Amino acid sequence: MGTIAVVDYGMGNLRSVAKALEHVAPKGARVRITDRADDITGAERVVFPGQGAARDCMRAIDAHGLREPLLEAARTRPFFGMCMGLQVLLAHSEENGGTDCLGLFQGTVRAFPRDLHDGHGRRLKIPHMGWNSVHRTRAHPLWNGIAETACFYFVHGYHAAPEEPDVVAGTTDYGRRFCSVLADANLFACQFHPEKSSRDGLRLLKNFVEWSP
Amino acid sequence: MALAKRIIPCMDIDAGRVVKGVKFESIRDAGDPVEIARRYDAAGADELCFLDITASSDERAALVHVVEQVAAEVFIPLTVGGGIRSVDDVRTMLNAGADKVSINTAAVHEPELVRRAAEWVGSQCIVVAIDAKQVGEDPARWEVFTHGGRRATGLDAVEWARRMVALGAGELLLTSMDRDGTKAGFDNPLTRAVSDAVSVPVIASGGVGTLQHLCDGVTEGHADAVLAASIFHFAEYTIAEAKAEMARQRIPVRPVPDAVIESAHD
């Protein structure tokens, strides 16, 4: 088994992500938190987490010289984006007055409007924080063994709005329906935090580390 | 499904051990935070809260160790509070594996701490804990207290909540000092007044004695999450029973694992 690189570009604590991967990784696989381009280039699989603001993330990616290695990995090897690691795959984010992102997918990351309401007419809280379900818009091997009713842990104030409907693999409802899972060939990315989503999140990560796209 | 209302068991930690006893069946060590956290995760808890009540600063390091151990084995969100006084304290807890850090007394002494901490680590990691007591009837008014409800601050709880959110709090943990330990239910008018006043999620705390109290916290108090200690610790109710009752009352909850439901019917 090769290395699973967890990309560390200084945006948040990656300990939980690494621990969760170690928890599910097959014997012999190595989980490495790294900010080095050559570690990403040499890894068998790449996990791309992230939190914080889009502009800080993009600056940190470029400061570490990780733009090209990330794009290359996202096109060629099993690649898992989480939370901000999904959002910056799009071309642009509304956050911080507008931020250009990696542009792997056409589309924009949009803020949840402040005037969303639930079915009882109560104003929805922002950020979208807590457990919510994912409606699968198509089958994917990473869902193996996970019930359709499974919930995952979300924390975010912005959501991806990709232009190409084919890359949307799952949606979630919070005042509006948004894209919570993106998938394309060897790439899978989710807005929620699998490393904080208990059994179902661990199962998703297990499916990823065993995935041969 | 809509966003689930969260159920959060809260554990008091003293010198690295869970105190006020947790009485699960067949638990080997009732004071071991890792084993208890693992049990709550398996039982379907949505999040965990550790509240450090350690008096001596020497023993505070024990909490960091506990957080590290729990975060390495239990994969649900973990909030840690008690004795957080500086941005460094916040960072220490996050680096140990906490997802959110709760600031209480220090926010009253130094509100700017909330802004600095939120700027450094992001609002999503900063919970402000507010302990409130009712001080007026008509109209109802609540005041912020510190030191376990002994020290009045003169601050209006609803105004304080708004101010904390404006400074960067990403969530509020609201405890009614009138109800805490009474098992008479949450102070729902308080919870509702605060929850309706702010844009961020509010966790109701203090007073849970029955499953109906949990439901009322959501439906009457407009809470986004409900925190409880003794009813779960002493196995008066399970998380599965709490969620079943909430679901029956049409409150969205995250389903508990099938294995938990099956074992409950054994």
Side-chain angles (χ1 to χ4, degrees), chain B residues 26-44:
Chain B
S26 73
I27 196 158
R28 287 191 304 273
D29 177 355
D32 177 9
V34 180
E35 183 163 3
I36 295 164
R38 210 187 284 129
R39 286 298 189 101
Y40 275 132
D41 173 24

Side-chain angles (χ1 to χ4, degrees), chain A residues 6-161:
Chain A
V6 179
V7 184
D8 177 11
Y9 48 109
M11 297 304 293
N13 185 1
L14 305 181
R15 188 191 173 100
S16 297
V17 175
K19 289 286 177 197
L21 285 164
E22 281 166 8
H23 205 81
V24 299
K27 253 197 160 122
R30 222 152 59 98
V31 177
R32 175 184 276 181
I33 297 177
T34 182
D35 64 352
R36 291 165 50 103
D38 54 350
D39 281 340
I40 295 170
T41 309
E44 182 191 275
R45 291 162 203 277
V46 174
V47 174
F48 180 45
Q51 56 174 295
R55 175 171 296 161
D56 295 339
C57 275
M58 288 311 301
R59 281 186 180 152
I61 287 167
D62 284 330
H64 287 84
L66 298 180
R67 182 184 288 253
E68 286 312 314
L70 281 170
L71 287 171
E72 188 269 342
R75 289 185 182 115
T76 57
R77 279 165 288 147
F79 185 97
F80 198 136
M82 299 172 180
C83 193
M84 185 52 74
L86 176 155
Q87 294 186 6
V88 297
L89 298 176
L90 270 67
H92 190 77
S93 172
E94 285 182 352
E95 199 171 6
N96 308 119
T99 303
D100 284 333
C101 299
L102 292 172
L104 203 63
F105 301 103
Q106 288 308 307
T108 301
V109 177
R110 301 191 188 285
F112 281 109
R114 295 275 154 171
D115 57 350
L116 291 178
H117 291 79
D118 68 9
H120 305 285
R122 253 190 266 159
R123 193 172 55 144
L124 290 174
K125 301 297 179 74
I126 305 292
H128 173 224
M129 180 193 284
W131 298 80
N132 208 333
S133 55
V134 174
H135 169 67
R136 298 168 198 176
T137 50
R138 59 184 159 96
H140 195 284
L142 261 60
W143 295 123
N144 284 349
I146 302 172
E148 289 271 358
T149 52
C151 288
F152 299 91
Y153 189 76
F154 289 81
V155 187
H156 60 125
Y158 290 77
H159 65 87

